[in-house]
Amino acid sequence: MAIGGEQVTSIGENHGLKGLFLRNGAEFQVLYATPDRQAMIAGVMWDSTGKNITRDQVSQIEGTVPTVVVSDGDKELAAKAAESGLAVVKQAAFGAYGREGAPELWMIVDPACTYSIRAFDQLKPFVQAGRLQLRIVPISILDHEDNGMSTKVALALLSNPMERMASLWMQRNFGGQPSAEAAAKLQKNGQIAEAIKLTGTPTFLFRKPDGSEGRLDGMPTDIKALLAEVSGRS
């Protein structure tokens, strides 16, 4: 901090690591000091549920997280989301994976997010057994961490029919030029994520057997418990 001067900002301490925000013009880097204060680690901190702690830490620093301009349409969407987040998410562009008629689990993902990929891999056996249908909603929120890869991958998925998205994601097949409609679909999905106050990916929404809505933010800690909530079966 003595060397960097005004280019370095303390962003607090989490899990025993002191965070520092280092700016160089339009670029920035987050560093974490080890407990003995003798070494620095550059990177992003995630907690065990998949929450991006670093994003929360830097969100109050101007220019680090994209600014969202809220239109009247966004306000209307937010009002609807306050009544039913699931109803709003059903307006998104999505990929369907699994048996038609199986209990639906809506999964909002950044397809480049490691936690989204892990959650998808854990759910695949239940989908393949016919116990679940995933409705996968791609968004992009990690461009500032992966040099724009999140948007590239999300656009690639949204350029394909809904029945192909899951297989392309599994195969990591993101080639080709985005379709003319993909950008608009991604923008709409982002607006929906804002409306439901998404805090990270993956985020799950579903209808419980009793008719109420369920939601899980972050990586599931108990997949079978989540499946029981969605389908009513353990």
Side-chain angles (χ1 to χ4, degrees):
M1 291 184 74
I3 294 170
E6 294 182 356
Q7 291 179 305
V8 181
T9 303
S10 174
I11 55 174
E13 187 166 320
N14 238 303
H15 297 281
L17 301 179
K18 180 180 177 62
L20 299 174
F21 177 88
L22 175 63
R23 186 188 295 277
N24 181 16
E27 298 180 352
F28 64 86
Q29 176 70 68
V30 176
L31 306 170
Y32 289 98
T34 55
D36 63 7
R37 301 296 194 261
Q38 299 303 302
M40 303 293 293
I41 304 167
V44 179
M45 184 186 295
W46 303 77
D47 69 14
S48 59
T49 68
K51 182 179 180 181
N52 187 330
I53 294 174
T54 301
R55 181 182 173 88
D56 288 349
Q57 288 179 303
V58 305
S59 63
Q60 301 306 312
I61 301 175
E62 185 178 354
T64 58
V65 177
T67 301
V68 176
V69 178
V70 180
S71 67
D72 289 341
D74 293 329
K75 292 177 183 177
E76 182 180 347
L77 204 60
K80 290 180 180 178
E83 297 178 7
S84 172
L86 184 58
V88 170
V89 169
K90 286 184 176 183
Q91 300 176 35
F94 67 93
Y97 176 50
R99 177 177 62 83
E100 193 68 34
E104 296 173 3
L105 179 59
W106 290 80
M107 181 180 182
I108 304 175
V109 303
D110 183 316
C113 164
T114 55
Y115 287 95
S116 295
I117 294 168
R118 281 173 52 192
F120 180 57
D121 287 342
Q122 289 179 349
L123 288 165
K124 278 192 295 188
F126 299 102
V127 176
Q128 292 165 352
R131 297 184 57 187
L132 197 66
Q133 186 188 66
L134 284 180
R135 299 285 179 99
I136 301 164
V137 179
I139 63 172
S140 60
I141 59 174
L142 299 177
D143 279 344
H144 65 290
E145 297 173 20
D146 59 20
N147 296 317
M149 181 58 68
S150 290
T151 292
K152 179 182 177 181
V153 173
L155 288 174
L157 295 184
L158 289 167
S159 297
N160 286 274
M162 57 184 290
E163 63 272 11
R164 291 198 62 211
M165 282 193 209
S167 62
L168 291 172
W169 192 24
M170 282 188 278
Q171 298 163 14
R172 306 293 184 264
N173 183 353
F174 309 127
Q177 289 297 315
S179 70
E181 302 82 15
K185 290 179 180 179
L186 182 57
Q187 182 180 20
K188 179 66 180 292
N189 284 2
Q191 290 169 337
I192 288 170
E194 287 285 338
I196 67 167
K197 302 186 186 304
L198 184 106
T199 58
T201 55
T203 291
F204 301 90
L205 293 97
F206 50 92
R207 180 75 62 190
K208 297 181 181 179
D210 64 7
S212 62
E213 289 188 17
R215 174 170 172 166
L216 175 65
D217 295 87
M219 185 77 183
T221 56
D222 189 332
I223 291 290
K224 290 185 177 180
L226 174 60
L227 186 67
E229 276 203 278
V230 177
S231 67
R233 295 170 51 197
S234 59

